[in-house]
Amino acid sequence: MELTMAGALNAALRDSMRADDSVVVYGEDVGRLGGVFRITDGLQAEMGTDRCFDTPVAEAGIAGTAIGMALYGLRPVVEMQFDGFSYPALNQVISHVAKYRNRTRGRVGLPLVIRIPYGGGIGAVEHHSESPEAYYTHTAGLTVVSPGTPADAYALLRASIAFDDPVIFLEPKRRYWLKEDLDLPVTAAPIGEAVVRREGTTATLIAYGPMVTTALEAATRAADEHGWDLEVVDVRTLSPVDMDTLVASATKTGRALVVHEAARFVGYGAEIAAELSERAFGYLAAPVLRVTGFDVPYPSAKIERHFLPDADRILDAVARLLEY
Amino acid sequence: MLTIRDFLMPDLGEGLTEGEINRWLVAEGDVVVVDQPVAEITTEKAVVEVPTPFAGRVATLHGAAGETITVGRPLISIEVAGGAPAEGASGNVLVGYGTSEAAPRSRRSAPPERAEPTRPVAAPPMPPASPLVRRRAVELGIDLSTITGSGPGGMVTQADLERATPVDAATSAGRQPASGETVRTALTGVDRIAAERLTRSHQQVPSASAWLSADATRLMELRAELPAGSTDASVTPFAIILRLCAVALRKYPRLNAHFDTQTNEVVRFRPIHLGVAVQTDGGLVVAVIRDAQTKSLRAIADELQQLAGAARDGSIDAADLRGSTFTVSNFGAFGVDGGTAIINPPEAAILGVGRIVTRPWVVDDDVVPRSIVELSLVFDHRVADGGVAGGFIRHLADRIETPDEAMAHD
Amino acid sequence: MSVEVSSAVSGPSSFPGLSQAAWQDVAAEGAMGAATWHDVALSADQLRSLYRLMALSRRVDRQAINLTRQGALGVFASSHGQEAAQVGSVFALEADDWLFPTYRETVGTFARGVDVVELLALFSGSWHSGFDPYKYRVAPLTTPLATQALHAVGLAMAAKIKHDPIVALTFFGDGAASEGDAHEALNMAGVYGAPVVFVVQNNGYAISVPYRLQTRTSSIALRAAGVGIPGIRVDGNDVISVYGAVKTAVDRARRGDGPTLIEAVTYRLEAHTTADDTSRYRSDDEATEWRGRDPVERFLRVLRDGGVADDAFVADVEAEGEATAARMRDFLFDAPAGDPREMFDHVYAARTPQLDIERALLDQELRAAEES
């Protein structure tokens, strides 16, 4: 059955709610409307307003009440309507969601999921194209997951809901309409594991979320246009990250780059590059490069394509890797 | 350093504004410890013992028994050693203890020993090169300072290395052959991988060897008497020796092992996966007979024939080329008696089996012709010593010379 | 939606030494109507129990201040003078109800039953929270202002979804009431009819900032009207009034009639924390005046007058207080720091490879330090 990523997420929510009575879904416009991207379509009708409901416009409230719910034994799956509007909830997330288990010495775990559509490329107005993953991955205690394919969207969301620690689930909104042939329920590698999407020998492309598609596109063009055999690794769980898989790939090819939409300075790629250079030092033929957005606030719709990494920029970077 | 700390008359409860000193429990000059009761104060309802929060010597009692002290005024002053926050420390802050006074002792007792540099610092500066290129230069024996790098910023690239000539016998002869006088053949595929592994093994493993000759006459006799098997594969003498090797390794398991340089451990493999070197058109490959310790002679012979055939016609499974724990090389196939083979990494030993040839041999004081086979063992000296190596090869020779029992089980 | 903002005080309390007119100043500001709350029904045993909790928690508070002066605690936020507001509130809760306190509610949390040594872990620096929330149904003492109000609302929402007849009670202060989370909590509680009771202790100060600079509204209870839930303002130093108001609110919530906001007017007799200097922002006279309305003393007078408490009882309570204080001193003075390696154990349900590496690094440092 062909499913879009949005459809896969919707199915994951529905299947999780059917499988476990303690799963509740809420946020702004997720109930009656079914979500501004229809990710929660049909859930309220099927499950009732006790299981899927709308909230006032109160992001801190959404996150804060999710903490109370999880404390009581429910598994709340809440939505921040857009990346740029997740910021009011940052205090609850950083001060409490991330710290509750540690603060209570392990007695209280919060099995909640905060879903956040993120990333650009949808021609949107300001505040709707942010890539805030660095804030979340830098916060100890959070598990940050970002699927790059519809299959992973289903499998990782189900896994995140069943997870005993809080998960920040970053959905690449520009890929909501990506289609894949899926036989549900599809399973995939668990949270915490990266996956090699395309094996290769020339160089390694490390990507997650919306850039997985872009990296694969670059690899196809690389083979056709240059005879380069690129390996593409999908990080999937940004934190805690499966460093072993990334190191193995960089060691194998000797050349690696990280690609993400988020700005370059102190971005997620910087951590991966530092860690790879430390662990694969003796096997690197070239420095680890980063292909990223620029260090500017996300630009307006008409010029965003110049900001976003694309296959061309990735291939330029591969060419630089091969100069060494 | 001594400081005077004032302990102010506390509000002992219920909105007290003053208290009467019923009696002192200490005198000026007394040494007190923390929480030691120092005074009895009468409040509206009761006589309360008040403990001092400071330890030290009582400096001043601010009143006599019967006198009243207002809450918040000094009740007793204590001479405290060390005193209040030292200079530079903050003392308590709004939200906690504040900065502390004493600097913690460093846990680093002595500066770490600097390792002796393995290469003297070069007088001419080294050109920039990636870690990978540096390592390969070392492996290939190339002096990086003699190379002009063609990479970004003058970096030496892998391509630069490939073009460079290694510093060895070729140049020490005084003159490199001109390019027209040489023929280059690139190592690819299996050969390239093999070359890398052999180099690594040769460089990293401190090997030693032990060899002896064994009388295989009886073995050859018994072989002729073997009943026909279910397949038409014949049981070669080499196959028999493989089987006996597995038997011998059960008795000398230290040779079925690997030396872990990271942890300085001898890692013994439980199963015996015998690697058998097979010569193919594509080069030398090592086919693996897994769990040889469980297999009968007939099974080993069959598998050997099948693997060798598959290796030669290129149809061998990749899985059958991996995972050997001990390798046996059939020198006899080349018409050779013995030699010092190179250990197949990550194993600890390799056995060479020479041709079986008729030689004069002494049996009961007579010189008679016997079928003799030479066994050459090369082993990782970190894993086994002469006693173990010699013991193994002697035991194997014994089994070859009197194979009746070993072969009877098959 | 009817809005009740009541300034009534009920029950057998009186205010010796404080004229009714003076009290009306506090109580009548901003009153939009009066409603009578039912008379509080408490047995003699319960009244004594109430006093005992107030007196014991006061002794605990005092000992904690001493321990801070002695360096056994890093800091302490005293709730001296707020015993009625806190103890009166938690006394109205049933066994299965939940409490969401802040760092200001040592008194209330102790009165709710949390072991005093476990309770003080936050202030001693041994761990950020020292007790098991599930054992006591008390959330960790929360520091970021008003954030726990949302947790209380969430838990109440969950209980409602599961049809469990329990109530969540949370405290926050006049300062915290200015935070966005406070508004979101009140509003969401109203939207969902969550079984939660908000007790705002208006103790006059947010560190040094007095109430008049915190907000223009004459009464925080009026905010309830803004979000469509009932609000009531009571004398926070009259434990019976507090108890009565909270009990009514708790019963309402348990019945399914939704949340209530209760503003308990009281006074923070001590400084914000032990390291704060009140002389920089308020006069001693003000504190002295409020000491005249001491909640524990007042209540005891009422109980004595009513023949419910005698000298023997008071002495018993005092003795119990001293025993508790001694226990605090025993455990907290010179308490060891604990194993720093534990910081890696509770970040996630299971330690990650990276955390194992970091833990090994610290382990190495600790061993090197031991050997040197």
Side-chain angles (χ1 to χ4, degrees):
Chain A
M1 167 173 59
E2 215 182 39
L3 263 189
T4 60
M5 183 182 283
L9 292 166
N10 182 255
L13 288 169
R14 177 175 292 101
D15 291 351
S16 296
M17 292 175 85
R18 283 176 182 166
D20 184 348
D21 278 345
S22 68
V23 177
V24 296
V25 168
Y26 63 98
E28 296 155 19
D29 303 293
V30 305
R32 192 199 297 238
L33 180 65
V36 291
F37 291 107
R38 306 293 182 269
I39 309 294
T40 52
D41 199 28
L43 296 179
Q44 183 176 79
E46 181 183 333
M47 302 287 175
T49 53
D50 267 1
R51 303 276 313 273
C52 178
F53 53 90
D54 292 315
T55 65
V57 184
E59 287 79 12
I62 291 167
T65 52
I67 293 169
M69 289 219 182
L71 182 58
Y72 198 70
L74 295 188
R75 282 182 181 265
V77 183
V78 301
E79 179 181 296
M80 296 288 129
Q81 196 161 75
F82 284 93
D83 36 73
F85 306 134
S86 68
Y87 303 141
L90 272 179
N91 185 22
Q92 287 285 349
V93 171
I94 295 172
S95 297
H96 296 304
V97 173
K99 296 176 165 63
Y100 228 94
R101 178 182 286 281
N102 190 265
R103 177 184 302 147
T104 58
R105 258 177 160 144
R107 294 177 187 117
V108 178
L110 297 178
L112 59 86
V113 177
I114 299 179
R115 294 180 38 245
I116 309 179
Y118 83 119
I122 61 165
V125 295
E126 215 187 348
H127 309 297
H128 293 74
S129 308
E130 305 279 295
S131 287
E133 65 269 26
Y135 310 134
Y136 297 110
T137 51
H138 186 62
T139 305
L142 295 179
T143 300
V144 183
V145 172
S146 187
T149 67
D152 258 359
Y154 179 88
L156 287 175
L157 183 52
R158 290 221 58 187
S160 297
I161 294 171
F163 206 59
D164 288 335
D165 274 325
V167 176
I168 307 296
F169 193 81
L170 299 174
E171 300 171 356
K173 67 172 92 74
R174 74 194 287 198
R175 305 297 179 208
Y176 274 159
W177 301 276
L178 199 61
K179 290 197 175 123
E180 197 177 332
D181 223 332
L182 290 180
D183 258 321
L184 298 181
V186 63
T187 50
I191 292 174
E193 275 185 33
V195 163
V196 177
R197 291 273 172 228
R198 184 190 193 281
E199 286 193 17
T201 54
T202 308
T204 300
L205 308 182
I206 296 169
Y208 53 87
M211 288 290 107
V212 174
T213 302
T214 310
L216 287 169
E217 181 195 323
T220 303
R221 281 183 49 196
D224 291 343
E225 297 167 17
H226 303 276
W228 295 335
D229 183 25
L230 298 179
E231 179 149 302
V232 177
V233 182
D234 182 352
V235 181
R236 303 165 81 246
T237 301
L238 275 57
S239 173
V241 67
D242 174 6
M243 213 55 222
D244 285 351
T245 299
L246 305 190
V247 169
S249 180
T251 303
K252 174 176 128 180
T253 63
R255 292 162 212 275
L257 63 80
V258 187
V259 54
H260 57 61
E261 287 184 18
R264 174 190 175 80
F265 191 73
V266 200
Y268 187 78
E271 171 64 31
I272 300 304
E275 196 68 13
L276 284 180
S277 83
E278 191 178 322
R279 290 182 53 175
F281 191 66
Y283 298 93
L284 292 175
V288 179
L289 299 181
R290 293 163 290 157
V291 179
T292 67
F294 300 121
D295 292 315
V296 302
Y298 196 89
S300 56
K302 290 202 170 131
I303 55 175
E304 75 175 330
R305 73 182 185 285
H306 299 292
F307 172 94
L308 291 167
D310 56 11
D312 277 343
R313 213 179 267 167
I314 292 176
L315 293 176
D316 285 345
V318 174
R320 280 208 307 282
L321 284 175
L322 291 171
E323 282 173 16
Y324 290 85
Chain B
M1 185 201 118
L2 296 171
T3 328
I4 303 290
R5 299 294 301 274
D6 292 333
F7 178 35
L8 307 179
M9 176 69 186
D11 171 3
L12 291 169
E14 290 105 77
L16 207 65
T17 52
E18 58 188 25
E20 186 189 301
I21 301 170
N22 193 45
R23 66 188 180 103
W24 286 107
L25 302 171
V26 298
E28 284 176 10
D30 282 356
V31 170
V32 292
V33 297
V34 168
D35 263 344
Q36 178 175 342
V38 293
E40 276 179 9
I41 304 294
T42 308
T43 68
E44 209 158 298
K45 289 170 279 294
V47 176
V48 177
E49 258 184 18
V50 173
T52 168
F54 310 125
R57 186 180 300 278
V58 178
T60 315
L61 303 178
H62 294 279
E67 273 182 45
T68 301
I69 307 269
T70 311
V71 167
R73 306 294 312 155
L75 170 67
I76 180 173
S77 295
I78 314 271
E79 198 177 62
V80 181
E87 307 215 349
S90 70
N92 278 81
V93 292
L94 191 71
V95 293
Y97 291 100
T99 61
S100 62
E101 310 157 12
R105 272 182 59 211
S106 172
R107 58 181 162 75
R108 299 170 60 89
S109 47
E113 308 242 338
R114 295 201 65 83
E116 284 302 310
T118 50
R119 309 158 77 93
V121 176
M126 294 282 267
S130 76
L132 184 62
V133 164
R134 286 178 196 282
R135 204 159 57 83
R136 297 200 72 81
V138 168
E139 286 171 9
L140 296 170
I142 295 175
D143 181 355
L144 274 181
S145 61
T146 65
I147 300 184
T148 309
S150 67
M155 281 189 81
V156 176
T157 64
Q158 285 175 277
D160 291 335
L161 283 187
E162 278 163 30
R163 282 190 287 270
T165 313
V167 178
D168 62 7
T171 48
S172 69
R175 190 183 78 86
Q176 282 195 56
S179 57
E181 295 173 351
T182 60
V183 179
R184 291 174 174 273
T185 311
L187 288 185
T188 57
V190 168
D191 280 347
R192 184 167 68 82
I193 294 171
E196 283 170 16
R197 302 187 64 190
L198 291 169
T199 305
R200 194 159 27 110
S201 176
H202 180 62
Q203 285 175 338
Q204 291 174 4
V205 179
S207 59
S209 59
W211 57 86
L212 58 72
S213 305
D215 182 353
T217 310
R218 182 78 191 123
L219 183 147
M220 299 299 276
E221 285 167 11
L222 284 176
R223 172 179 173 255
E225 292 163 21
L226 282 175
S230 52
T231 69
D232 53 17
S234 63
V235 177
T236 59
F238 185 63
I240 301 174
I241 292 177
L242 278 182
R243 171 81 177 92
L244 296 178
C245 200
V247 170
L249 279 173
R250 294 281 288 279
K251 204 160 180 332
Y252 290 86
R254 248 183 118 83
L255 290 168
N256 189 49
H258 156 68
F259 188 78
D260 187 337
T261 49
Q262 306 263 34
T263 60
N264 269 329
E265 288 173 317
V266 173
V267 181
R268 275 191 228 168
F269 304 117
R270 282 193 206 283
I272 299 171
H273 303 315
L274 286 181
V276 181
V278 179
Q279 188 68 35
T280 72
D281 288 338
L284 197 68
V285 300
V286 177
V288 182
I289 299 176
R290 298 186 69 79
D291 293 301
Q293 78 280 11
T294 62
K295 289 180 173 156
S296 67
L297 173 57
R298 175 61 62 178
I300 286 179
D302 288 349
E303 203 173 325
L304 178 64
Q305 173 144 5
Q306 179 242 323
L307 282 172
R312 284 191 196 109
D313 69 30
S315 67
I316 192 164
D317 215 352
D320 288 326
L321 292 174
R322 280 203 294 265
S324 52
T325 61
F326 182 95
T327 300
V328 186
S329 194
N330 189 353
F331 288 156
F334 304 117
V336 159
D337 291 317
T340 47
I342 296 181
I343 294 172
N344 189 18
E347 298 161 31
I350 183 166
L351 176 73
V353 179
R355 58 192 176 139
I356 301 179
V357 69
T358 311
R359 286 195 198 285
W361 201 249
V362 176
V363 178
D364 299 329
D365 293 332
D366 291 323
V367 176
V368 291
R370 303 287 281 190
S371 300
I372 304 300
V373 65
E374 195 164 314
L375 307 170
S376 322
L377 178 73
V378 176
F379 60 98
D380 182 338
H381 214 318
R382 299 169 296 188
V383 165
D385 59 15
V388 169
F392 165 78
I393 209 167
R394 181 67 256 161
H395 183 78
L396 177 59
D398 287 344
R399 294 282 72 71
I400 288 173
E401 289 178 354
T402 43
D404 302 65
E405 214 191 298
M407 287 173 70
H409 291 292
D410 300 324
Chain C
M1 169 97 231
S2 75
V3 174
E4 303 168 50
V5 177
S6 167
S7 60
V9 290
S10 65
S13 66
S14 59
F15 302 87
L18 182 67
S19 72
Q20 195 63 10
W23 175 243
Q24 292 292 353
D25 284 343
V26 171
E29 282 171 322
M32 284 167 59
T36 40
W37 293 73
H38 64 264
D39 268 333
V40 163
L42 284 172
S43 69
D45 273 342
Q46 284 177 304
L47 290 169
R48 278 189 287 270
S49 189
L50 199 43
Y51 172 78
R52 175 179 156 272
L53 287 173
M54 290 169 75
L56 282 182
S57 58
R58 170 165 288 191
R59 185 67 188 87
V60 164
D61 190 275
R62 176 116 317 264
Q63 186 62 47
I65 293 174
N66 285 345
L67 285 167
T68 309
R69 291 197 187 121
Q70 295 165 0
L73 296 177
V75 69
F76 181 66
S78 167
S79 17
H80 185 75
Q82 299 177 219
E83 293 85 356
Q86 294 185 22
V87 179
S89 296
V90 303
F91 201 73
L93 297 174
E94 300 290 319
D96 285 348
D97 294 334
W98 272 78
L99 179 65
F100 286 81
T102 75
Y103 59 86
R104 180 66 63 200
E105 279 83 53
T106 312
V107 157
T109 316
F110 171 77
R112 183 64 179 145
V114 177
D115 176 84
V116 66
V117 167
E118 291 177 22
L119 182 50
L120 290 169
L122 171 66
F123 300 112
S124 77
S126 63
W127 201 262
H128 295 316
S129 177
F131 57 89
D132 180 353
Y134 289 120
K135 179 175 171 189
Y136 298 105
R137 290 176 142 77
V138 177
L141 302 180
T142 303
T143 301
L145 296 183
T147 54
Q148 80 289 347
L150 282 168
H151 307 166
V153 173
L155 186 133
M157 287 164 69
K160 185 169 177 186
I161 289 171
K162 295 181 87 163
H163 306 292
D164 290 340
I166 64 130
V167 175
L169 186 145
T170 186
F171 291 101
F172 55 94
D174 42 289
S178 296
E179 286 276 2
D181 280 17
H183 167 68
E184 295 193 29
L186 293 173
N187 188 48
M188 287 181 81
V191 166
Y192 299 110
V196 57
V197 178
F198 303 96
V199 177
V200 177
Q201 292 175 82
N202 184 349
N203 66 10
Y205 286 89
I207 307 187
S208 68
V209 177
Y211 180 79
R212 63 184 161 72
L213 293 181
Q214 193 63 244
T215 176
R216 286 297 156 117
T217 187
S218 54
S219 165
I220 293 172
L222 287 169
R223 301 219 182 141
V227 293
I229 70 175
I232 178 169
R233 177 174 161 114
V234 295
D235 173 3
N237 279 12
D238 172 357
V239 69
I240 295 301
S241 288
V242 171
Y243 171 80
V246 176
K247 181 81 170 79
T248 305
V250 164
D251 287 347
R252 262 178 52 89
R254 207 184 305 285
R255 261 196 322 264
D257 286 345
T260 309
L261 171 62
I262 295 168
E263 180 188 7
V265 179
T266 176
Y267 190 80
R268 195 194 72 204
L269 284 175
E270 289 283 335
H272 172 68
T273 61
T274 40
D276 179 34
D277 177 6
T278 55
S279 70
R280 295 174 75 94
Y281 55 84
R282 73 185 190 192
S283 75
D284 284 345
D285 294 341
E286 189 183 79
T288 305
E289 192 191 326
W290 274 90
R291 279 183 220 278
R293 301 186 196 122
D294 183 290
V296 181
E297 190 182 321
R298 282 162 68 180
F299 190 49
L300 182 57
R301 271 204 279 270
V302 164
L303 294 183
R304 279 188 186 281
D305 290 350
V308 170
D310 60 11
D311 285 350
F313 167 68
V314 173
D316 271 346
V317 171
E318 248 178 63
E320 197 183 341
E322 290 313 309
T324 306
R327 181 163 169 262
M328 286 167 72
R329 289 194 295 270
D330 285 343
F331 272 97
L332 292 163
F333 202 80
D334 254 354
D339 187 348
R341 279 162 287 223
E342 196 182 346
M343 74 173 86
F344 301 102
D345 291 345
H346 308 299
V347 181
Y348 299 102
R351 256 195 340 247
T352 63
Q354 184 60 28
L355 285 175
D356 281 338
I357 292 170
E358 295 183 8
R359 187 184 192 281
L361 186 66
L362 179 61
D363 189 58
Q364 220 172 35
E365 288 179 4
L366 291 169
R367 285 176 201 283
E370 276 166 34
E371 282 154 24
S372 67

